[in-house]
Amino acid sequence: DAGITQSPRHKVTETGTPVTLRCHQTENHRYMYWYRQDPGHGLRLIHYSYGVKDTDKGEVSDGYSVSRSKTEDFLLTLESATSSQTSVYFCAISEQLQKGYTEAFFGQGTRLTVV
Amino acid sequence: DAKTTQPPSMDCAEGRAANLPCNHSTISGNEYVYWYRQIHSQGPQYIIHGLKNNETNEMASLIITEDRKSSTLILPHATLRDTAVYYCIVRALGGPSGYSTLTFGKGTMLLVSP
């Protein structure tokens, strides 16, 4: 399995508090992604990064920010958590093997509950 | 990216081949077909991908029709551990920064029974 670790694995937080989720990789892959998964919606992309300090928004980026100060770490921050952000969050990494070819490995997920 | 259509659920007997269909009638010439699966409570797992030729690896085979409007993922000898949600994803070539993102639909829930 690819070296990708998410922390924490579980978290309960109160509405209005800031929350930061961490994704750490040991594969030196260029691309990193944050997804959320909710019943009936499948996986939806929040933000992604294509290099250190290079990030862009995904499908459901409102209320989230990200940072990538080094290759191995990609942080997802909820500035002021809301109940609608209760979800399972997955980090993924990928590398461009050749033009148009990428593969993605996923972490085990972080279950976040906002009460 | 082009959208895909998959049946919401399928059943398969253990030891038999599981054939999971996917329609992607609006696929573009430079878009690849990817398959992932997600076993309950785990992160998604890459299975296989292809452009227009059939592909096979240690996990599965991917059959893409000649017009590329549909494909089938084949698990040759399904086991109970293959019970999962299977996602068919059509993915464009990278953009100006060389990346391309995955867009997941709702997938097919495959239940393998003894």
Side-chain angles (χ1 to χ4, degrees), chain A residues 40-61:
Chain A
H41 290 280
L43 281 107
R44 294 180 292 174
L45 182 66
I46 305 171
H47 281 279
Y48 57 89
S49 169
Y50 46 95
V52 173
K53 297 185 180 180
D54 291 324
T55 64
D56 207 346
K57 296 178 180 180
E59 179 187 0
V60 290
S61 60

Side-chain angles (χ1 to χ4, degrees), chain B residues 21-88:
Chain B
C22 179
N23 287 319
H24 31 79
S25 59
T26 60
I27 191 170
S28 300
N30 63 351
E31 290 178 321
Y32 294 81
V33 180
Y34 280 74
W35 283 84
Y36 286 78
R37 73 180 183 183
Q38 187 174 23
I39 297 170
H40 182 62
S41 299
Q42 298 182 19
Q45 176 188 23
Y46 165 82
I47 301 174
I48 198 168
H49 70 284
L51 182 61
K52 54 184 177 182
N53 298 318
N54 297 339
E55 301 287 344
T56 296
N57 64 19
E58 65 278 4
M59 289 182 66
S61 295
L62 173 61
I63 308 298
I64 303 174
T65 58
E66 189 170 351
D67 62 8
R68 301 208 326 122
K69 293 184 177 181
S70 65
S71 61
T72 301
L73 178 73
I74 301 173
L75 307 178
H77 304 287
T79 71
L80 300 179
R81 289 178 295 180
D82 291 323
T83 292
V85 178
Y86 287 77
Y87 296 98
C88 170

